[in-house]
Amino acid sequence: MKVRAGQSGFSLIELMIAVAIMGIIIAVALPSYQDYVVRSNRGVGVSKLMEMASRQEQYFLNNQLYADTLTKLGYPDPYYVDSDGDMGTAGSAIYQLSITASTNTTFDIQAAPLNFQTRDDGATDPKDCRTLSLDEQGVKGQSGLGTRCWN
């Protein structure tokens, strides 16, 4: 086949090879990126739980008992957190924080994953953490199989 002078461009085969290579790169990179986002979001949940525990301790110092509602700690009820760590809505949130148990001398708080963060489901992957929890003694827990949820 003769190429005319001044003719340039790609053949259909070259274009299809480029598209196939891009598809392979995306297929490999996307799950890694999503895993990174889930781990990053988990850091937001951990940070907000630590902040809530700190407010519980301040409330205890002031009142000689732990708060049993989010509003007593200055949070809305329900309290949703987005990926920036700001108060969000149920549709934009990655975690819903709540006080799951509270007595005068104990509390248990948790961050339950929502929306995109539900990929951290703990069902099959040993890295997944599911719901994070923290109590008045600083005991950190998770409902998933993850071993590095609080790192």
Side-chain angles (χ1 to χ4, degrees):
M1 184 150 87
K2 287 183 162 181
V3 177
R4 293 185 195 148
Q7 185 179 10
S8 64
F10 299 103
S11 71
L12 182 58
I13 298 229
E14 290 171 328
L15 183 62
M16 294 304 291
I17 289 171
V19 168
I21 290 171
M22 289 301 296
I24 291 168
I25 290 171
I26 289 171
V28 169
L30 188 60
S32 294
Y33 175 73
Q34 289 175 333
D35 185 49
Y36 168 78
V37 171
V38 165
R39 286 182 289 137
S40 176
N41 287 345
R42 191 182 306 139
V44 171
V46 165
S47 173
K48 287 299 176 178
L49 276 178
M50 299 297 260
E51 177 186 303
M52 187 179 284
S54 177
R55 285 195 186 188
Q56 276 283 35
E57 295 301 334
Q58 185 62 49
Y59 189 89
F60 185 83
L61 287 173
N62 294 340
N63 301 290
Q64 299 304 307
L65 64 124
Y66 288 111
D68 57 354
T69 66
L70 291 170
T71 54
K72 289 180 181 177
L73 296 176
Y75 294 113
D77 191 7
Y79 181 36
Y80 300 108
V81 177
D82 67 16
S83 60
D84 294 326
D86 299 327
M87 186 173 49
T89 62
S92 68
I94 57 168
Y95 282 105
Q96 179 178 357
L97 279 76
S98 59
I99 299 172
T100 55
S102 180
T103 67
N104 289 348
T105 58
T106 66
F107 71 83
D108 190 23
I109 53 179
Q110 75 174 16
L114 298 172
N115 301 319
F116 183 83
Q117 196 63 18
T118 58
R119 294 170 190 258
D120 194 16
D121 66 3
T124 57
D125 193 338
K127 296 179 293 187
D128 291 345
C129 297
R130 212 177 248 169
T131 299
L132 304 170
S133 62
L134 184 63
D135 70 13
E136 78 286 346
Q137 294 181 353
V139 175
K140 302 167 184 173
Q142 69 277 341
S143 62
L145 304 172
T147 58
R148 301 184 70 194
C149 300
W150 290 84
N151 294 350

